[in-house]
């Protein structure tokens, strides 16, 4: 199995605060990886570095063999944990924007998911609910034929009834040779779709590996292990 992302000694410092501390990690292609940790553990910082939005303080990161930058943006599809699209645009206009901007964007796939979620193409983003806006952002992200999908809290703002559909959308709409990295603290919801898990605490990786092997070694679920590892 090939490695899509590798980092060695990765450290990110904000003044006296160390958000990531000497992280060594390899993420395999063809996998769905949970980046699991409480709020403030360094999940978003790690994802932003991989997306090329932050520079490292020390250490190295390679994505598909390249340092984060212009080259890696061609193979990485990133979903931030907040609204980032212009709310004066319609769903149709956003699809056209992504089609113009990304050579690997699949318009037909985007419109299929929009229809399945019963989202009106003519709707202005500002007229949609917070949960529906997040669904639109996820659809646009997953409609690219990327090698690495970086999803920062993709189910954090949607109602529980929609989470299964969103997770199925994620799993059903990515290249099987690609990797999906899902940052979340809603472990029970994502555990059924994960192939690998990375536990992060105070900027350090405390556990990582194949989820079936972790369950076998610990005799418990990923969710129960998370609750034990990060209990107050």
């Amino acid at each position: 199995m090939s490695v899509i992302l590798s980092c060695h000694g990765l450290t990110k410092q904000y003044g006296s605060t160390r958000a990531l501390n000497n992280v060594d990690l390899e993420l395999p292609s063809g996998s769905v990886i949970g980046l699991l940790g409480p709020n403030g553990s360094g999940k978003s910082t790690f994802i932003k570095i991989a997306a090329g939005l932050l520079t490292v303080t020390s250490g190295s990161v390679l994505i598909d063999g390249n340092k984060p930058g212009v080259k890696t943006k061609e193979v990485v599809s990133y979903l931030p944990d907040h609204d980032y699209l212009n709310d004066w645009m319609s769903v149709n206009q956003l699809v056209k924007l992504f089609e113009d901007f990304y050579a690997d964007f699949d318009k037909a796939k985007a419109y299929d998911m929009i229809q399945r979620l019963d989202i009106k193409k003519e709707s202005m983003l500002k007229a949609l609910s917070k949960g529906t806006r997040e669904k639109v952002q996820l659809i646009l992200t997953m409609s690219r034929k990327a090698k690495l999908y970086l999803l920062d809290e993709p189910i954090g703002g949607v109602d529980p009834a929609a989470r299964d559909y969103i997770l199925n959308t994620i799993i059903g709409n990515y290249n099987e040779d690609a990797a999906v990295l899902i940052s979340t603290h809603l472990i029970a919801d994502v555990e059924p779709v994960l192939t690998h898990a990375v536990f992060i605490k105070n900027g350090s990786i405390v556990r990582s590996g194949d989820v079936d092997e972790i369950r076998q070694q610990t005799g418990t679920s990923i969710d129960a292990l998370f609750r034990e590892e990060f209990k107050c």
Side-chain angles (χ1 to χ4, degrees):
M1 187 176 292
S2 62
V3 172
I4 185 64
L5 184 152
S6 64
C7 57
H8 302 285
L10 173 60
T11 298
K12 179 62 179 179
Q13 193 107 3
Y14 297 102
S16 61
T17 301
R18 184 164 286 195
L20 292 174
N21 182 33
N22 199 35
V23 171
D24 292 327
L25 188 64
E26 291 188 343
L27 302 182
S29 299
S31 58
V32 181
I33 308 131
L35 182 61
L36 313 176
N39 292 332
S41 57
K43 302 190 302 296
S44 290
T45 297
F46 180 85
I47 284 181
K48 286 176 182 176
I49 288 173
L53 301 178
L54 293 175
T55 57
V56 304
T57 302
S58 61
S60 64
V61 181
L62 292 177
I63 298 171
D64 200 29
N66 298 291
K67 293 181 180 179
V70 174
K71 189 71 175 174
T72 61
K73 289 181 187 295
E74 297 176 0
V75 300
V76 172
S77 190
Y78 167 57
L79 177 70
D81 62 349
H82 59 274
D83 282 355
Y84 72 99
L85 299 172
N86 292 318
D87 62 6
W88 52 265
M89 297 182 75
S90 68
V91 175
N92 263 335
Q93 288 173 319
L94 290 167
V95 170
K96 182 65 166 62
L97 175 67
F98 269 64
E99 183 184 22
D100 290 343
F101 199 78
Y102 296 108
D104 63 356
F105 185 76
D106 188 336
K107 180 175 68 173
K109 178 184 285 188
Y111 278 129
D112 179 63
M113 286 190 278
I114 287 167
Q115 182 179 17
R116 288 174 183 272
L117 279 171
D118 198 26
I119 299 170
K120 290 181 172 57
K121 295 181 290 186
E122 301 78 15
S123 297
M124 306 300 288
L125 198 63
K126 64 182 177 183
L128 301 177
S129 68
K130 182 177 187 295
T132 303
R133 290 199 305 271
E134 292 191 357
K135 291 173 188 175
V136 171
Q137 292 185 163
L138 177 63
I139 287 169
L140 295 171
T141 302
M142 298 308 300
S143 293
R144 289 185 57 198
K145 297 183 179 76
K147 292 185 178 181
L148 176 62
Y149 298 85
L150 302 172
L151 311 179
D152 198 351
E153 299 288 354
I155 60 174
V158 300
D159 59 273
R163 286 176 185 165
D164 286 345
Y165 182 87
I166 286 176
L167 290 171
N168 289 333
T169 298
I170 292 170
I171 300 308
N173 289 279
Y174 85 101
N175 183 339
E176 63 183 11
D177 294 324
V180 180
L181 180 65
I182 304 174
S183 162
T184 188
H185 56 271
L186 300 171
I187 315 304
D189 292 289
V190 302
E191 182 170 354
V193 305
L194 299 181
T195 62
H196 293 71
V198 177
F199 285 61
I200 185 168
K201 183 177 183 180
N202 296 327
S204 298
I205 304 301
V206 296
R207 184 188 296 271
S208 67
D210 179 281
V211 292
D212 289 333
E213 292 179 0
I214 292 174
R215 292 189 193 107
Q216 187 174 19
Q217 291 167 359
T218 62
T220 189
S221 68
I222 301 298
D223 181 53
L225 187 62
F226 178 89
R227 293 173 186 273
E228 176 63 28
E229 188 75 51
F230 300 111
K231 66 183 178 182
C232 296

